[in-house]
Amino acid sequence: MKTKEFIVTAIIIVVLLLCKFVLPKPIQFSPTISWIVTILLGLVFAFIFYLTIKGKPVERRIVFLLVGISLVVPFFMQFKLPLKISPEVQQVYDKLASLPPGSKVLASFDYDPPSAPELQPMAEAFVKYAFEHDIKIIMMGLWPQGPQQANQAVEAAFEENPALRDQVKYGVDYVNLGFQSGNEFVVLRMGESFKSMFPSDLNYTPYDSIPLLKNVSNFSNIDWSINFSAGKPGTVEWIQVAVDRYNLPMSAGNTAVQAPMVYPYLNAGQLLGLMGGMSGAAEFEKLTNLPGKATTFLLSQTFAHVVVILFIIIGNVAFLRSRKETK
Amino acid sequence: METFGIWLAALLTIGIISFLYKDNVLYKACESIFVGISAGYWFITYYWDNLYRKFYLGVTDMDNPHRFFLWIAFALGVMMLTRLIGKIGWLSRWPLAFIVGATAGLYMMTYFVSNAFVQVGATIKLPPDFGSVGSYISFGMIALGTFSGLVYFFFSKEHKGVFGGTAKLGIWFLMVTFGASFGYTVMSRMSLMLGRLDFLFGEWLGMIN
Amino acid sequence: MLNRVLLLCLALVWTVSVSVTAQDVAEGGIDTLSLPLPAPAQNVVAANHVYDDGEVIDVNWDKSPDDPENILGYIVYRAETDGAFDSIRTLLPGETFFSDDNVEDEIPYKYQIGVIGENGVSLSGESELAVATWELFNFGMWNTFLWMFVFCGSVIGFIISAKSGRKLYIRKIGGLEALEEAVGRATEMGRPILFIPGILDMDDVQTLAAITILGKVARVVADYDSKIRMPVSRSLVLTAARETIKESYTSAGRPDGYNEDMVQYVTDEQFGYVAAVNGIMVREKPATCLYLGAFFAESLILAETGNSIGAIQIAGTARPGQLPFFVAACDYTLIGEELFAASAYLSEDPKQLGSLKGQDVGKVIAMFGLLVGTAAMTLSVAWQVPATQWILDLMNNLFTTN
Amino acid sequence: MKREIPIAITFIVGTVFALAYFIPREPFSLFERQFGDWFGIIAAFAIWLGALNLMKISAMKIARKKPDFIYASLIILSFLVMIFFGFYEGYKGLFAEPQFSYRDAGTGFNWLYEYVYSALSATMFALLAFFVASASYRAFRARNLEATLLLIAAFFVMLGRVPVGDMLTTWMPIGYTMSDWANWIMSVPNTAGQRAIMIGIALGLVSTSLRIILGLERSYLGGE
């Protein structure tokens, strides 16, 4: 048993090192190979289906391995996927597009690196779009790591479009107020005065000496706000305090887990538009015409969903059959 | 240092993923490092954000007319530490009572307004795109679903007869809600794994374009 | 004395500002001859910001017709009744609103808006005088107050009526009926009970609910003389949970059975905590796992691991996103409100049960609102029944915040 | 006395904080705004209790030479390393010109955060992808009508949120493809269900809070 584990470990290390140092990079499958790989995966599922129905369900590890493969393989494929825009995302975009140049937008980055795969693409597309359309962004975070994510989004925008680097000025076109602890109480106090909560920005520049903030004392001076949220504190807290008590117009980008909980607020008009998860991000990237990571990952995402659905179907068909037999 | 960091992160990532195969030495080590590092991280964050920024900077800011209040919080915090001294440990109930009372009082209002009051109001308001038969059906279904869901939660009556039927309808709505949540959760979890795989195969191995 | 000094200062400020303003106007005046000034802003309206502490006056105006092409921005000027205008803020083009939060209450102010052009500033007319007044009570929220009053009143009313001996009927709640049985099973098997109070701190009401349920569970545990294990992820919860369990053991008459190590802190970090709890589950194989409180992504890991060790699992949370996993993997799940009802239900104390009745009154109000509102809406939209319109308006007034 | 005073504190603080919602005048409006700070300060003291508890348990494991004492020492070591950088760089940054924060890019604390903490927590988080898949294969069964409804809704949502759903239903009339169904489920039945849950929760929460404020729930305060 021990030797077997040792061999497995050794093989994994060798394969990884080979990938790192020997393999030509980057790897891309031609369409034919992509199709062949997809069909092979399908055959594996057919086999699992057969086994499960025969009453020999496969081990957990096989399931894990299959999920892993179907997430990784699409990285190297090049299928083009048509994407339909959902009304919630359209609403976010319409709101953003309707802002005249010079409008001030408050963007709260309430997430940390683990949730970045879903939210960072939205943030990047938003920042890029805002910079290109002369919309001013006031950034902040209710999560300690939020402001760093904001800076990364700005950096990504500059890398994508180097012309922006000269065009967009810190302090004039955007500002990063940083993080402040206190969850919804931060929002509550911002309702009275931003300055009381953020005496200085992330770089320790005093609030009053930042040109963009000259006329910003509280939410009443903000034209629109967007909130990228991965949990608590996040969109719900912003709605409860900033929207319900201070009438801040707000849209949100949420991790997919959070999104269903936010729909009632959307229907009630407390929230103006919602981007949910990676597919929401991909739709937003399409609308803003700034394809990024979410668009790239859409294929992997699709594969993953299909795999989970297949597992549910296989499990249930076997379950229904066995129930029929016992009857 | 950055290259080393990426290699270390890759090792830790693989260490955690290896749990899927079997509980093993590498995973246990990663887990312990994780517990220690994260406890330290939060300890430091609390120290700088709360004790330093909120308390120390607050009370030394002579323009702050409310700095006196911060001393109350400080005193309550110190009372918390009396737990370490057995005899007067009961003093720690004061800060606890304070926090519990304030939480109860505050959330009572915010939840009542945002989650009950406004939601009832929103259900009986016309949606902006109202007009078609479809939108009327949607409007009616939301009202019906909310209503029957509330019937399900009703405690004073046995779920029988018409009442039981409505409660049944309510649980159906709840189940569809859970299904939607489940679908979205799958989407979210897969995205997170994609993020890690992107790190391994893209940032570390450089295999992705 | 002080008054005189103040007056003197005011006079000084006044003289300086008058001379400055005069200069501005004079320069502007000269420039006008050669180059045109931008069109001024119109309809400047200043008004008290209602329902605050007398701190804010809101100023609104209509944009200058030259905005945004030919102007550089706006200047807000403010003056007291007979005083001179001082510029208090410069704004970017496109602005039509300014909240002046630097006012003394009970002092009237008037405002004027200047439009900055390339060649100078053109001034609007003066606004009427406005006074920032404070209000003791936010009457904008009268309906919230009304419903809160009715709801809390009925909760308290039922508690009082229960106290006076009236019998109250509460239907059976599945998960809670099973709780005692689950504790009993753990005792029989000689294995511990695992209690997870969620991962949020004491400032979340779900955690409070979990801790109050813990009190009842620990009481049963103490009665049966079985063991309870409780790893927590927050230090305040650690303290509260210890007090709670201690109290339960004391009231069960077995204070010696209590041991501080029943509750243990792990880390504030979500997954660090979950990793450790997983370890405890696999090593100690609790017979019963209770997950009550605020849960996030860890719900699935916990429920799956609990399933794999064959424990009876009872879960309860008000986080809808996590409910599907609990519903699929646990034996019983308390959905949303049932979590909050649990502690009252378990105590079988008539006073506590009274509060559940009060909750039902709240639901009746909500259902009544839904029913009347949708009916009135249907009648007025589909058949244009005029009489229903005022019912609709009434309902909207009753259930809308300002 | 050991119980009466805390109960009185809960009652007074709770009532004042609830009423403050309707009273815009100081000091009421102030309480609400300051609570975040107060809570933070108290929690910052409380975390000492937690940290000491963690250290005590780990140290006991080492002292008793339990088989996993290596892991216990890893916990202590990594905790201390993080604390060291946090304090050292925090104070260094405070007196440096220009000031910097221990969280800024380039500090050791941030390095540990980025390459150790983030990597670990993100991967732990991501493991859920695999657990979700295995749960779908084993646990999500159409046992009864309710469970079936759950699965059907999940099916539509999962397929409707990725392009393949629409590709499979191109034969449906426009406006009735998979993504439209998913949108409808999200915005109608989901909204209704969420709303029922939300209203219920809010009422339960208010009544629990009320019981706490009135002192009917007080087990968290312990005994005499």
Side-chain angles (χ1 to χ4, degrees):
Chain A
M1 195 60 201
K2 280 276 182 240
T3 29
K4 189 181 149 198
E5 270 167 35
F6 180 75
I7 293 169
V8 169
T9 321
I11 291 176
I12 290 174
I13 292 174
V14 170
V15 168
L16 286 175
L17 290 180
L18 276 179
C19 289
K20 174 80 190 162
F21 295 112
V22 183
L23 229 61
K25 277 164 268 196
I27 297 172
Q28 267 180 358
F29 294 168
S30 72
T32 335
I33 296 185
S34 304
W35 274 112
I36 292 173
V37 173
T38 315
I39 290 167
L40 278 178
L41 267 177
L43 287 176
V44 173
F45 271 96
F47 186 59
I48 292 180
F49 184 55
Y50 172 76
L51 284 181
T52 316
I53 284 187
K54 283 277 161 242
K56 282 179 272 184
V58 293
E59 233 195 309
R60 265 156 71 102
R61 291 175 211 176
I62 308 278
V63 175
F64 295 157
L65 188 67
L66 264 176
V67 173
I69 291 175
S70 34
L71 283 171
V72 173
V73 165
F75 283 161
F76 313 116
M77 295 184 179
Q78 293 165 313
F79 289 129
K80 275 264 170 288
L81 291 173
L83 184 62
K84 211 161 120 184
I85 309 296
S86 50
E88 301 88 50
V89 181
Q90 184 74 45
Q91 203 185 349
V92 177
Y93 175 75
D94 289 348
K95 195 66 213 169
L96 178 62
S98 72
L99 294 173
S103 304
K104 292 191 203 80
V105 174
L106 178 73
S108 186
F109 293 72
D110 307 332
Y111 61 99
D112 53 3
S115 305
E118 288 177 90
L119 297 171
Q120 198 65 18
M122 300 175 191
E124 283 175 12
F126 159 72
V127 169
K128 243 180 280 174
Y129 184 90
F131 282 172
E132 281 168 9
H133 294 76
D134 190 25
I135 289 164
K136 320 278 183 201
I137 315 177
I138 299 164
M139 301 167 174
M140 57 165 284
L142 295 179
W143 289 36
Q145 302 86 19
Q148 271 106 307
Q149 299 300 132
N151 280 346
Q152 279 178 25
V154 171
E155 207 42 49
F158 286 160
E159 253 166 49
E160 188 91 347
N161 184 354
L164 287 176
R165 215 180 274 273
D166 307 318
Q167 221 173 315
V168 177
K169 289 269 171 301
Y170 183 84
V172 178
D173 297 298
Y174 74 103
V175 63
N176 193 339
L177 291 176
F179 156 77
Q180 196 41 273
S181 66
N183 300 350
E184 54 270 49
F185 301 103
V186 175
V187 185
L188 194 72
R189 266 164 70 175
M190 287 173 73
E192 305 275 331
S193 139
F194 282 13
K195 198 182 144 190
S196 75
M197 214 59 242
F198 297 97
S200 63
D201 74 349
L202 199 61
N203 309 325
Y204 304 96
T205 315
Y207 189 93
D208 285 330
S209 54
I210 298 166
L212 175 56
L213 301 173
K214 271 263 150 57
N215 175 38
V216 179
S217 61
N218 54 34
F219 292 134
S220 53
N221 310 108
I222 297 292
D223 296 301
W224 179 63
S225 79
I226 187 162
N227 159 252
F228 304 101
S229 147
K232 190 182 168 180
T235 305
V236 174
E237 283 70 30
W238 275 98
I239 293 172
Q240 286 177 350
V241 182
V243 176
D244 287 353
R245 294 176 74 169
Y246 296 104
N247 297 319
L248 180 74
M250 194 175 94
S251 306
N254 275 206
T255 52
V257 180
Q258 253 223 136
M261 267 178 270
V262 176
Y263 268 83
Y265 300 109
L266 191 70
N267 175 278
Q270 287 156 294
L271 196 62
L272 312 165
L274 171 73
M275 300 177 272
M278 200 172 267
S279 65
E283 290 168 27
F284 189 65
E285 286 181 349
K286 187 180 173 191
L287 280 171
T288 51
N289 208 6
L290 301 161
K293 275 259 156 78
T295 313
T296 321
F297 286 159
L298 199 60
L299 189 63
S300 292
Q301 188 84 44
T302 309
F303 267 67
H305 285 205
V306 172
V307 164
V308 171
I309 287 171
L310 285 177
F311 274 129
I312 293 181
I313 292 176
I314 293 174
N316 275 291
V317 168
F319 167 73
L320 293 176
R321 260 181 74 109
S322 70
R323 199 160 68 166
K324 215 181 232 172
E325 276 163 20
T326 47
K327 266 182 191 167
Chain B
M1 216 44 192
E2 201 192 323
T3 322
F4 174 63
I6 289 177
W7 276 82
L8 180 64
L11 181 72
L12 295 172
T13 305
I14 294 170
I16 296 282
I17 292 181
S18 73
F19 176 70
L20 292 176
Y21 179 69
K22 202 180 168 189
D23 193 12
N24 60 63
V25 183
L26 187 58
Y27 173 75
K28 279 189 203 153
C30 288
E31 182 197 312
S32 308
I33 293 174
F34 192 18
V35 169
I37 287 273
S38 59
Y41 175 83
W42 284 103
F43 190 88
I44 288 295
T45 309
Y46 273 65
Y47 177 82
W48 286 110
D49 287 340
N50 296 324
L51 280 187
Y52 179 76
R53 249 173 108 158
K54 289 208 151 78
F55 176 70
Y56 178 74
L57 291 186
V59 292
T60 51
D61 174 13
M62 291 301 152
D63 297 334
N64 178 1
H66 312 304
R67 58 181 187 278
F68 167 70
F69 285 112
L70 294 173
W71 282 108
I72 300 180
F74 184 81
L76 287 171
V78 173
M79 282 184 187
M80 206 71 221
L81 291 181
T82 58
R83 300 227 98 216
L84 296 171
I85 311 157
K87 273 236 163 102
I88 50 166
W90 53 271
L91 267 177
S92 67
R93 291 174 194 170
W94 290 27
L96 214 53
F98 174 82
I99 286 179
V100 169
T103 304
L106 271 181
Y107 286 92
M108 197 165 135
M109 293 314 304
T110 39
Y111 270 83
F112 185 74
V113 173
S114 295
N115 284 22
F117 184 75
V118 173
Q119 295 307 324
V120 174
T123 313
I124 57 172
K125 209 165 282 161
L126 283 177
D129 59 342
F130 198 75
S132 65
V133 180
S135 68
Y136 182 76
I137 292 175
S138 295
F139 162 78
M141 267 193 85
I142 292 180
L144 181 69
T146 314
F147 185 87
S148 54
L150 285 175
V151 169
Y152 170 78
F153 287 121
F154 211 71
F155 298 120
S156 307
K157 210 165 151 44
E158 198 91 39
H159 286 168
K160 272 191 207 148
V162 179
F163 189 79
T166 320
K168 194 95 190 148
L169 184 66
I171 193 82
W172 289 350
F173 269 96
L174 293 184
M175 283 298 161
V176 173
T177 308
F178 295 157
S181 283
F182 172 68
Y184 264 66
T185 306
V186 170
M187 182 154 111
S188 208
R189 301 296 176 241
M190 292 301 166
S191 312
L192 298 179
M193 196 65 219
L194 280 175
R196 284 330 280 166
L197 293 173
D198 178 42
F199 167 76
L200 275 185
F201 289 89
E203 204 170 328
W204 184 49
L205 295 176
M207 286 162 66
I208 304 171
N209 190 2
Chain C
M1 182 60 199
L2 197 68
N3 276 338
R4 279 190 200 163
V5 175
L6 265 176
L7 266 177
L8 198 76
C9 289
L10 264 179
L12 242 166
V13 170
W14 186 77
T15 348
V16 172
S17 49
V18 162
S19 53
V20 171
T21 339
Q23 257 175 11
D24 276 355
V25 173
E27 279 170 16
I30 293 163
D31 276 333
T32 340
L33 296 176
S34 49
L35 289 155
L37 278 175
Q42 314 251 312
N43 298 329
V44 183
V45 179
N48 172 36
H49 188 88
V50 284
Y51 305 134
D52 66 350
D53 202 4
E55 295 158 321
V56 181
I57 292 179
D58 292 332
V59 189
N60 286 286
W61 59 91
D62 293 347
K63 269 192 219 176
S64 154
D66 287 330
D67 186 358
E69 282 81 19
N70 301 320
I71 75 164
L72 299 173
Y74 294 95
I75 302 181
V76 183
Y77 296 98
R78 183 181 75 183
E80 290 177 21
T81 318
D82 299 314
F85 279 97
D86 270 337
S87 94
I88 53 170
R89 193 65 79 94
T90 315
L91 307 178
L92 292 172
E95 303 283 351
T96 58
F97 173 75
F98 175 67
S99 274
D100 185 4
D101 54 2
N102 192 21
V103 296
E104 298 284 322
D105 50 1
E106 308 306 324
I107 294 180
Y109 293 98
K110 54 189 175 181
Y111 292 83
Q112 199 174 21
I113 303 298
V115 180
I116 319 168
E118 295 273 339
N119 319 305
V121 177
S122 60
L123 293 175
S124 69
E126 292 173 16
S127 73
E128 299 281 308
L129 283 170
V131 183
T133 52
W134 60 268
E135 293 81 18
L136 182 60
F137 191 85
N138 187 342
F139 284 101
M141 290 196 268
W142 64 272
N143 44 11
T144 316
F145 189 78
L146 173 78
W147 290 129
M148 201 69 196
F149 189 77
V150 170
F151 181 58
C152 292
S154 53
V155 170
I156 296 171
F158 272 108
I159 289 174
I160 292 171
S161 106
K163 225 173 169 178
S164 65
R166 214 180 114 202
K167 267 227 148 312
L168 299 172
Y169 171 79
I170 299 288
R171 75 169 161 88
K172 286 195 179 355
I173 300 175
L176 296 174
E177 293 285 306
L179 207 59
E180 189 152 350
E181 179 201 324
V183 175
R185 199 179 87 126
T187 318
E188 276 166 31
M189 298 173 73
R191 298 216 302 242
I193 291 153
L194 187 75
F195 193 103
I196 308 290
I199 60 159
L200 289 184
D201 214 332
M202 289 302 283
D203 66 342
D204 190 276
V205 188
Q206 294 180 64
T207 316
L208 297 188
I211 293 293
T212 54
I213 299 171
L214 172 70
K216 315 308 193 266
V217 172
R219 178 66 203 260
V220 183
V221 169
D223 283 341
Y224 281 151
D225 195 17
S226 47
K227 276 176 290 185
I228 189 164
R229 275 292 258 135
M230 186 174 175
V232 298
S233 77
R234 304 282 167 163
S235 307
L236 284 168
V237 180
L238 174 85
T239 311
R242 281 184 174 167
E243 290 285 359
T244 308
I245 297 180
K246 196 170 162 192
E247 157 71 0
S248 298
Y249 271 81
T250 314
S251 64
R254 312 191 42 248
D256 49 308
Y258 169 73
N259 169 4
E260 281 236 314
D261 291 338
M262 289 170 168
V263 192
Q264 163 198 353
Y265 170 82
V266 183
T267 161
D268 274 45
E269 156 66 39
Q270 183 183 16
F271 288 106
Y273 172 67
V274 174
V277 173
N278 262 355
I280 293 175
M281 279 193 195
V282 178
R283 275 197 311 273
E284 303 184 9
K285 300 222 170 8
T288 303
C289 297
L290 306 175
Y291 316 113
L292 301 163
F295 288 89
F296 294 80
E298 67 282 356
S299 65
L300 174 64
I301 306 183
L302 293 176
E304 278 276 293
T305 315
N307 226 347
S308 74
I309 57 165
I312 291 192
Q313 305 195 89
I314 300 176
T317 184
R319 307 264 326 163
Q322 304 311 326
L323 282 166
F325 300 102
F326 280 149
V327 168
C330 295
D331 300 275
Y332 294 98
T333 309
L334 302 174
I335 300 170
E337 190 182 0
E338 293 175 338
L339 171 71
F340 297 107
S343 76
Y345 183 86
L346 286 172
S347 72
E348 285 172 4
D349 172 3
K351 281 181 288 183
Q352 304 258 8
L353 289 181
S355 73
L356 290 190
K357 284 277 173 197
Q359 261 160 266
D360 278 353
V361 172
K363 267 166 270 174
V364 169
I365 295 172
M367 291 194 279
F368 169 80
L370 288 176
L371 213 58
V372 176
T374 32
M377 170 90 73
T378 310
L379 288 175
S380 82
V381 172
W383 290 283
Q384 270 89 34
V385 181
T388 53
Q389 189 55 46
W390 73 266
I391 301 182
L392 201 57
D393 291 342
L394 175 72
M395 297 312 288
N396 276 333
N397 274 327
L398 281 174
F399 290 101
T400 315
T401 50
N402 300 315
Chain D
M1 275 313 268
K2 287 180 186 173
R3 283 193 85 159
E4 281 72 23
I5 293 180
I7 290 174
I9 292 178
T10 310
F11 177 75
I12 295 168
V13 174
T15 317
V16 166
F17 274 57
L19 282 179
Y21 196 84
F22 300 103
I23 304 176
R25 188 139 176 84
E26 280 194 6
F28 289 93
S29 53
L30 182 82
F31 289 150
E32 203 180 10
R33 277 179 274 144
Q34 298 264 321
F35 176 68
D37 290 2
W38 296 346
F39 178 77
I41 293 169
I42 296 173
F45 277 100
I47 201 166
W48 280 85
L49 299 176
L52 288 175
N53 185 248
L54 179 70
M55 289 299 105
K56 185 182 130 197
I57 289 174
S58 307
M60 262 160 46
K61 273 187 194 156
I62 299 173
R64 289 187 197 149
K65 286 258 161 59
K66 282 200 175 180
D68 49 353
F69 78 96
I70 297 177
Y71 303 117
S73 41
L74 260 180
I75 292 181
I76 295 186
L77 184 73
S78 44
F79 178 78
L80 292 179
V81 167
M82 204 69 180
I83 297 268
F84 167 76
F85 278 109
F87 279 126
Y88 173 68
E89 285 171 336
Y91 277 105
K92 202 172 129 193
L94 215 55
F95 299 110
E97 197 51 56
Q99 279 194 354
F100 68 88
S101 154
Y102 65 99
R103 264 200 287 258
D104 286 350
T107 60
F109 189 86
N110 187 58
W111 190 89
L112 283 170
Y113 174 78
E114 200 169 315
Y115 295 112
V116 181
Y117 181 103
S118 283
L120 285 169
S121 70
T123 316
M124 266 316 272
F125 209 169
L127 279 192
L128 285 163
F130 296 102
F131 288 127
V132 159
S134 107
S136 328
Y137 182 53
R138 298 180 309 102
F140 284 96
R141 294 278 187 269
R143 285 191 193 88
N144 46 34
L145 182 60
E146 283 85 28
T148 315
L149 276 172
L150 190 155
L151 288 178
I152 292 175
F155 176 82
F156 276 99
V157 169
M158 267 191 270
L159 274 186
R161 277 290 167 258
V162 285
V164 74
D166 280 344
M167 282 154 73
L168 289 175
T169 48
T170 36
W171 48 274
M172 290 288 282
I174 292 171
Y176 292 90
T177 52
M178 198 67 96
S179 60
D180 300 304
W181 286 102
N183 286 337
W184 185 80
I185 287 177
M186 290 314 288
S187 57
V188 179
N190 172 61
T191 299
Q194 296 278 1
R195 222 168 238 170
I197 296 175
M198 276 162 76
I199 296 175
I201 287 171
L203 297 176
L205 198 145
V206 174
S207 119
T208 304
S209 302
L210 204 58
R211 289 204 302 267
I212 289 172
I213 292 174
L214 295 177
L216 293 173
E217 297 273 14
R218 50 179 145 181
S219 49
Y220 64 93
L221 290 175
E224 286 301 319

